[in-house]
Amino acid sequence: MARLTGRTVLVTGAASGIGAASSRRLAADGAQLLLADIDGPGVEKLAAELGQAAVRADVTRGEDVDRMIGEAYTRWGRLDVLFNNAGVVRLQPMLEVTHDEWDRVMSVNLRAVFFVLQAVARRMLDQGVMQESELRGKLIQTASIASYRGGNHLMTPYSASKAGVVSLTRSAAQALAPHRITSNCVCPGAVETPMWEQIDKEWGALEGLGQGEAWKRRIRHIPLGRPERAEDVAGVVAFLAGPDSDYMTGQALNVDGGLVMGN
Ligand SMILES: NC(=O)c1ccc[n+]([C@@H]2O[C@H](COP(=O)([O-])OP(=O)(O)OC[C@H]3O[C@@H](n4cnc5c(N)ncnc54)[C@H](O)[C@@H]3O)[C@@H](O)[C@H]2O)c1
């Protein structure tokens, strides 16, 4: 039997990158998925490919969040795992960050991550334990090693938002442990996804670098000697969604080829 057979999982930011790779991996491991993204056609295409369900939802909008979570409960009557992964980035010199830009990044990466987590946790409180588990449910967030490194000065709001995700992961772990709900997060390093294509472009424009130069600079320092793939993160997400991590809560797992250690 596959490790996740019978587990129901809601994935946000599922249309691309880490969310898409994790959805593929969770489906291969036997989970039933509801894939959510602001990119409706993107998430419907992936869901059709995997034989899973999709919902278009902007995680910053309360009504979309209610509809998205409602869809999971209508479909399954319960939700075992939330992979709270949607995120955005924008590179700007620290001294040029505007209020609007700060709010935009925080609204997706921190405010929405918290309110999606809170809304799911409220519903999980009313459900029984998962099959073959002592837990009612599991919450998994995507933070980043930028939360420890401070990223660099070109990603100030992003890094602050991800530090916030680590913090609220721990708050939720403490608040929900008595209810047998766990909360953990993954902290990827520099992952080859459309988000990094955007970082490369914006960083290049700010520092006069050619296409691919910023990426090369970043991956040069990875101790394990190769760029990170979305599948590297997906394996750890599958571990956090599955029974082998049921006794872990409040943890932030670096999945970064050693990048956070420096070289
Ligand atoms: N790529 C990296 O190097 C890296 C490193 C550390 C952490 N992360 C984090 O991993 C997560 C996934 O990033 P990725 O690299 O796969 O990026 P990506 O851009 O490939 O995918 C992000 C997905 O989130 C969706 N999304 C954005 N705003 C949304 C909203 N308001 N509502 C619903 N969906 C929304 C996008 O449509 C997209 O499908 C993000 O939280 C990101 O911050 C990425």
Side-chain angles (χ1 to χ4, degrees), residues 12-21 36-40 42-43 56-61 64 68 83-89 104 107-109 112-113 141-146 155 158 161-162 165 186-199 215 218 228 230 233 255:
T12 72
S16 174
I18 292 168
D37 205 289
I38 196 170
D39 172 6
V43 83
R56 187 202 168 275
D58 177 347
V59 291
T60 65
R61 294 169 61 91
D64 283 20
M68 171 179 87
F83 182 35
N84 200 353
N85 164 74
V88 293
V89 71
R104 193 183 72 89
S107 140
V108 181
N109 291 12
V113 166
Q141 278 62 246
T142 305
S144 167
I145 62 162
M155 298 167 77
Y158 179 85
S161 73
K162 294 299 185 180
V165 171
V186 280
C187 298
V191 195
E192 225 166 355
T193 68
M195 180 178 279
W196 239 100
E197 284 169 28
Q198 182 197 335
I199 295 172
W215 172 248
R218 178 48 63 93
E228 182 167 355
V233 186
V255 188

Side-chain angles (χ1 to χ4, degrees), residues 41-103:
V43 83
E44 273 156 29
K45 186 163 172 274
L46 180 62
E49 179 196 320
L50 299 178
Q52 303 285 346
V55 58
R56 187 202 168 275
D58 177 347
V59 291
T60 65
R61 294 169 61 91
E63 58 272 38
D64 283 20
V65 169
D66 291 345
R67 190 168 42 78
M68 171 179 87
I69 297 169
E71 172 69 28
Y73 278 83
T74 304
R75 195 166 275 278
W76 301 310
R78 61 174 297 115
L79 180 63
D80 296 322
V81 181
L82 165 68
F83 182 35
N84 200 353
N85 164 74
V88 293
V89 71
R90 168 85 197 275
L91 270 74
Q92 268 182 320
M94 194 271 280
L95 294 176
E96 290 172 24
V97 173
T98 61
H99 288 76
D100 281 352
E101 199 48 43
W102 174 272
D103 289 348

